[in-house]
């Protein structure tokens, strides 16, 4: 299988090396060249990547005969990536559906901008979800997925999810047995679940509102107690309506959403203690019963509390 690996000045070196390592390892373990990888750039010239200048084998014409074009991650500056890769975008717009196209992480924006993801399922890094949806409303973004496949169009989520997609491509084009061999050699687990497992529960925004910052500190200390909007508004010395507005500005969440995330975050820590039952964890973090706790946990974490605890045991 001929693979064209696209490189540009925005290419994330770790994403590039990860894809190269996975495909080269597949060849090594198979004892033959199943994936013939050629590095290409827009003009066929070497690409400066900050700490290294990377040589390529040719320009976009090499991609014409490739079975798969693979675009490593290009960072979070989406507009800069689009502005500086117009040659690639023009090439992509002419691609027939039978030619496979794959993007790692943020490079889904290149496939989307060319129209290659219109009405197709796709994913990218969870931090880019809002801006991606605004820019490309015709894409069926499934941000919770580590990788997606839809009619020869492949996308992956953040960083390590690129390796999940590479393993999927190896399995699809060379057999599941080889993908298992590659995963085992790289000491990585296949079928790792969803991106929500890795998304931080609490926002990381800085707080310019000292009163809201103080309120959040109080909520972190009292998350297991019964807390409602009127009591929070009273503590913040404002009306419930004003609190909602200021709270959302500070955190991007409603007070109740933030409270639920606080509780589930505390539950993740409590679940590390094998002596604590699920019922005890639920009560400890502020839920009246195990069922409501488990429902909220799966909603926010993408897995049940029991599955989370089991995975922790397997990793220890």
């Amino acid at each position: 299988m001929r693979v064209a690996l696209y490189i540009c000045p925005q290419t994330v070196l770790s994403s590039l090396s990860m894809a190269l390592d996975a495909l080269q390892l597949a060849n090594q373990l198979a004892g033959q060249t199943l994936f013939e990888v050629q590095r290409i750039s827009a003009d066929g010239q070497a690409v400066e990547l900050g700490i290294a200048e990377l040589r390529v084998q040719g320009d976009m014409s090499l991609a014409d005969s490739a079975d798969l074009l693979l675009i490593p991650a290009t960072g979070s500056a989406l507009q800069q990536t689009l502005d500086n890769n117009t040659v690639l975008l023009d090439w992509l717009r002419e691609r027939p559906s039978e030619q496979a196209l794959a993007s790692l992480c943020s490079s889904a924006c290149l496939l989307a901008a060319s129209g290659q993801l219109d009405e197709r399922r796709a994913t990218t890094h969870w931090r880019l979800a809002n801006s991606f949806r605004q820019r490309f409303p015709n894409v069926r973004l499934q941000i919770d997925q580590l990788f997606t496949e839809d009619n020869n169009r492949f996308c992956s989520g953040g960083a390590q999810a690129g390796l999940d997609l590479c393993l999927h491509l190896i399995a699809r084009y060379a057999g599941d047995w080889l993908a298992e061999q590659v995963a085992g050699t790289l000491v990585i687990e296949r079928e790792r679940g969803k991106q929500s497992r890795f998304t931080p529960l609490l926002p990381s925004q800085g707080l310019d509102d000292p009163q809201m910052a103080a309120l959040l500190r109080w909520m972190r200390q009292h998350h297991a107690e019964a807390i409602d909007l009127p009591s929070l508004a009273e503590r913040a010395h404002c009306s419930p309506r004003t609190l909602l507005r200021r709270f959302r500005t500070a955190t991007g969440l409603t007070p109740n959403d933030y409270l639920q995330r606080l509780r589930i975050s505390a539950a993740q820590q409590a679940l590390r203690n094998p002596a604590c039952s699920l019922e005890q964890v639920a009560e400890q973090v502020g839920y009246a019963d195990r069922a409501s706790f488990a429902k909220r946990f799966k909603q926010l974490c993408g897995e049940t509390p029991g599955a989370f605890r089991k995975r922790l045991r397997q990793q220890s």
Side-chain angles (χ1 to χ4, degrees), residues 123-127 142-146 156-158 161 193-199:
T123 191
T124 187
H125 194 289
W126 57 266
R127 281 191 179 276
Q142 298 186 337
I143 200 62
D144 202 30
Q145 300 301 312
L146 289 176
S156 70
K194 298 183 177 181
Q195 281 205 71
S196 56
R197 278 181 48 195
F198 308 96
T199 307

Side-chain angles (χ1 to χ4, degrees), residues 254-265:
T254 67
N256 184 62
D257 287 340
Y258 190 86
L259 176 62
Q260 301 309 317
R261 289 171 178 268
L262 275 176
R263 289 174 171 174
I264 297 303
S265 181

Side-chain angles (χ1 to χ4, degrees), residues 21-37:
D21 287 347
L23 296 175
Q24 289 172 352
L25 182 57
N27 289 337
Q28 179 183 335
L29 293 173
Q32 58 181 308
T33 303
L34 297 177
F35 298 96
E36 181 185 341
V37 182

Side-chain angles (χ1 to χ4, degrees), residues 2-4 38 40 58-69 87-88 90-92 94-96 98-101:
R2 292 165 297 180
V3 179
Q38 290 185 308
I40 66 170
D59 59 16
M60 296 305 303
S61 62
L62 285 181
D64 291 338
S65 58
D67 300 300
L68 167 69
L69 173 74
V87 172
L88 172 66
D90 289 342
W91 183 90
L92 286 171
E94 302 301 321
R95 291 308 95 198
E98 58 267 21
Q99 185 169 22
L101 305 172

Side-chain angles (χ1 to χ4, degrees), residues 269-286:
Q269 297 304 312
L271 286 166
R272 297 178 184 277
N273 180 3
C276 205
S277 69
L278 295 184
E279 288 80 4
Q280 290 171 323
V281 171
E283 182 179 1
Q284 180 179 322
V285 301

Side-chain angles (χ1 to χ4, degrees), residues 176-190:
D176 195 69
W177 67 273
L178 183 56
E180 289 290 344
Q181 291 290 318
V182 174
T185 304
L186 294 175
V187 196
I188 182 175
E189 177 187 9
R190 293 183 68 195

